Amino acid sequence: MVEAPATEEGWFALHEFRSIDWDAWRNAPRHERDRAIEEGRSFLAHREALATAETGDSAVFSVIGHKADLLTIHFRPTLDALSTIERSFENTALAEFTTTESSYVSVTEVSGYVSDAYFEDDEAEIDDGLRRYIEGKLKPEMPDDEYVSFYPMSKRRGEEYNWYDLSFEDRADLMAGHGEVGKQYAGRIKQVIASSVGFDDHEWGVTLFGADPTDIKDIVYEMRFDEASSRYGEFGQFYVGRRFPPSDLGAYLAG
Amino acid sequence: MVEAPATEEGWFALHEFRSIDWDAWRNAPRHERDRAIEEGRSFLAHREALATAETGDSAVFSVIGHKADLLTIHFRPTLDALSTIERSFENTALAEFTTTESSYVSVTEVSGYVSDAYFEDDEAEIDDGLRRYIEGKLKPEMPDDEYVSFYPMSKRRGEEYNWYDLSFEDRADLMAGHGEVGKQYAGRIKQVIASSVGFDDHEWGVTLFGADPTDIKDIVYEMRFDEASSRYGEFGQFYVGRRFPPSDLGAYLAG
Amino acid sequence: MVEAPATEEGWFALHEFRSIDWDAWRNAPRHERDRAIEEGRSFLAHREALATAETGDSAVFSVIGHKADLLTIHFRPTLDALSTIERSFENTALAEFTTTESSYVSVTEVSGYVSDAYFEDDEAEIDDGLRRYIEGKLKPEMPDDEYVSFYPMSKRRGEEYNWYDLSFEDRADLMAGHGEVGKQYAGRIKQVIASSVGFDDHEWGVTLFGADPTDIKDIVYEMRFDEASSRYGEFGQFYVGRRFPPSDLGAYLAG
Amino acid sequence: MVEAPATEEGWFALHEFRSIDWDAWRNAPRHERDRAIEEGRSFLAHREALATAETGDSAVFSVIGHKADLLTIHFRPTLDALSTIERSFENTALAEFTTTESSYVSVTEVSGYVSDAYFEDDEAEIDDGLRRYIEGKLKPEMPDDEYVSFYPMSKRRGEEYNWYDLSFEDRADLMAGHGEVGKQYAGRIKQVIASSVGFDDHEWGVTLFGADPTDIKDIVYEMRFDEASSRYGEFGQFYVGRRFPPSDLGAYLAG
Amino acid sequence: MVEAPATEEGWFALHEFRSIDWDAWRNAPRHERDRAIEEGRSFLAHREALATAETGDSAVFSVIGHKADLLTIHFRPTLDALSTIERSFENTALAEFTTTESSYVSVTEVSGYVSDAYFEDDEAEIDDGLRRYIEGKLKPEMPDDEYVSFYPMSKRRGEEYNWYDLSFEDRADLMAGHGEVGKQYAGRIKQVIASSVGFDDHEWGVTLFGADPTDIKDIVYEMRFDEASSRYGEFGQFYVGRRFPPSDLGAYLAG
């Protein structure tokens, strides 16, 4: 059996994809819509406000296309906190006008492929820059007012190309090459990688943030030529959207 | 890692597939139907009228078969404009009688395979013909009164035939051969290619327009024998329909 | 690139699979049921009556199993005529009690594999027998009171067995062998082959008619051993049913 | 082209999987529930009572798990009889409380693999034991008060392992080995094999009956190691349940 | 044909995944909600209380994400007991507010791979430690207040890597290696393996329990590098949740 990478986990993540019941919305009396907007706004704003470097982060995004209208992403230190958030939303008047179309459960993760020093060195010897880098991966912040792309992925276990049959070194080399492509997008694209092994249907959830949506298209396309993706990547559904502040919820629903 | 092609992006595209709730339509009082027709017509006509070479294009099509009744295609300079259109439609009385069955989000794209001169030459040296050709790909117009076929596609990453493992030259050769087939249909078929990498579930959305639907069948069939498709193409669902002017919406709904 | 076969197209085909809303039917007052039966009968009878060798053909079938209750097949010279039929049905009182579960859009086709003389000879030299044979393929009639089987299919583009990579001669040989099996069922099974390339999700729709349903089972099973199917056939869902005259619609719905 | 086996067909089979609308059931007044139980019981009892060695067989089973609550299996000499049964059920008050989740249409079949003597000898020379064996396969009875497992299956047409590319002798050998495993379960497991080629989405429907559900698990598991299954079997969804007499319908619905 | 392992079966298992109809819950009057909570609590508490080492075990879990809200797991000596539990729940007022989204039917199993001594020795010679170990596998208890992960899986029957084509010794070696990984999680992860061959759509259902959800992620991830999984494992959907006592049902539903 080949060696599995060491991993360290950070915040748990819940991605929720909801559609608006536009027929019910259109026909609801104004005071019901106002209440739904206010309770939805308040719920989202509180989740964002409570979120700090210690306690997680939350954000809401509009999603383009029929698969969903709203995406909410929550990062929290425990699965229980995510479960509470999921159920608390159902107590808001906004929930009456939404249906949960999909979701994704994962936990942020760094692995020995990308930071072996972090895993192998004495804790005292890890330099502060690396420590901050790892911290940023495990407790990620979500940038304001940017586009988002989410997709789940797994590594292929084909009869010829089987990621889980490769030696640790081969996998580490492939991940390093993959990282090189990513570095070219530094400052333009921020990514959050979270493991869903044992939690959800693919092995990882990938969330990309960027101020220009064509950068998102470009990085995913360019990485597809990288062996780690071209030979070993298997992708689920893709969602694209844009973050908005909870105070804009009323405007969003007004069309 | 093999070389990814240079790309340039133009308008973002939203394809929306909607079905009519015929039971509700049949049972609605005449004034409600009239209002739905008028608001739907007005919405579509305004989207088409506002569209210019600078601001995009919009069109509505009847779709044959159970997968949808109406297809609307919108090209716009930003994802935000598409998001607004999507939600604005929900404010019309026509939306009450429709369900969004599917959609596709993409961005028009030209790549270095087909126009390397465009990407490699000094900008000043690019001749006007090429510039107009590229412009037509990035800011496409939709022809009146013609049949449409839409399908999403990806390039295969099989264990033996893996597009993303081929050298740039091999891919460029395959795309050139693919283009040769297309040229035989010049004047009869117009195609819009838009990338959905990072945005939607396949890698590209293909929209074909033609005055004769058998030309659509013929070009897709003939291209299937081309190696770029036969060995490397993976196709999603196909939709076929015909454009109609928004002023015909009432007649369309009358059966 | 290998050679694509020449093709000639005839009538467009629409297969519609509908289920009955039995709960609504059971609970509807008699006069509503009577009206639904009468309007449904009239719609179907008129579509059949209007159909002639010049204008197409229509038929209705009961379907066994949960996938659908009714199949209607329409052959018409244009896609537009099919679109009109599809929407006209929604104006009948019967539509209130049905849901469209699936459909298939295609166009009848003959190809150079089976009748190269037809495509290569001067038109004047084509003998009348061949001309009538081709005409029967392009403008097919539907036999009365017989069983029907419908299924969509594509040709495999596997990494080892790729139909679209074979030479024209190899494909023609395989199709000829396939035709030999079919000839053994002459007089017992009638088949309609229609291309859905660019129109629907598989490449062809196959409709088989026969007075004995075990003949349908036998021909599909025997052909599966033929290389054209065993190595290169990929099949979608299968439906089986029996034609009935529109005048029997009331009896059909009575159980 | 390799040789297809000779086949002989018996009764047509309809498997119907229905779920109970428990919310409607819970809320229905007692007299409606009583009527539904009585009409359902009567429908099922009559279908069973009418069934004889000449006219078919019928039985009802409770199904464990969410895929269905009730399975009814009907064997009849014609597809038309099955179509009538399917629609007649919709006239009962029980139908109001059920939804048809799935179904399977097939015809019992014996083939030249397992009984070549039957197909090759003069009819006069076939011994009575074989004749009775074949008769039992083509006109199967359903045992009382036993567990049932149903699953559809097809033979693989892979690029390396392709059942339909094997010689008749190789297939006959594989089927003989398969039969050897089955014989070890004689007296404990009874199986009904019915072809659905041209009728439904897989090639065969398999129905197993046994007094001990672990025998069902054991025979399917053991057969999976047999080459006919391990290399060539492709399986659909599995359902497990238990037969009950129609007179127990009320008790079944009472929970 | 290669040798199938000897197996011994214990309790049958039913996993039920239900979602809450939050819209109905939100709008229900308080007394209806109270009754639903009380009947749900009582149903679950009685199922747990009645469960002993002789009669089975039951537990309820909250599930994170859209696939379900509640998971109930029942172990019982017979399929009939599970069928009764499934239907009894529908008689509670809580059922009105839930929909069954998915389920899994299986039977706990030990096989000759892991305990050949148990299957090959005289019964008298089996030592008490092994007997207790086996007993714990066949009649598993569910730990309190811990996280749960459930997923169905099958062994691959690929054209190159085919589990069911391997010799018994090769399979036993692979299972032994698999077990080695598991032993590293002793005390942290408890697993229940149950066969669903002939009963449900995959071959086994796997249920993991652990006090720390990252242990669940880690064991599944590490095992994926083991050949028994990397080359031969095929996985269905994954669910993650946490056990709670029935007395907390009201708090759970309050959000």
Side-chain angles (χ1 to χ4, degrees), chain E residues 63-104:
Chain E
V63 176
I64 327 259
H66 79 293
K67 291 199 295 262
D69 291 307
L70 293 174
L71 160 64
T72 46
I73 306 180
H74 301 286
F75 298 134
R76 287 297 183 280
T78 65
L79 271 180
D80 306 270
L82 296 176
S83 177
T84 300
I85 287 174
E86 187 183 7
R87 282 171 290 126
S88 301
F89 178 77
E90 298 296 346
N91 281 327
T92 69
L94 181 59
E96 185 91 25
F97 297 101
T98 68
T99 304
T100 306
E101 299 287 349
S102 189
S103 66
Y104 212 73

Side-chain angles (χ1 to χ4, degrees), chain C residues 152-206:
Chain C
M153 61 161 293
S154 297
K155 287 299 188 189
R156 184 178 289 178
R157 294 183 292 110
E159 299 199 303
E160 176 144 3
Y161 291 108
N162 186 332
W163 178 261
Y164 293 93
D165 243 11
L166 297 178
S167 70
F168 181 88
E169 289 68 32
D170 286 349
R171 281 176 275 128
D173 283 353
L174 286 165
M175 291 307 289
H178 202 61
E180 287 306 308
V181 178
K183 280 177 196 164
Q184 299 166 30
Y185 289 85
R188 286 182 291 155
I189 294 291
K190 182 175 172 182
Q191 67 176 5
V192 176
I193 308 294
S195 172
S196 47
V197 175
F199 297 164
D200 218 320
D201 302 344
H202 280 74
E203 295 170 350
W204 287 275
V206 179

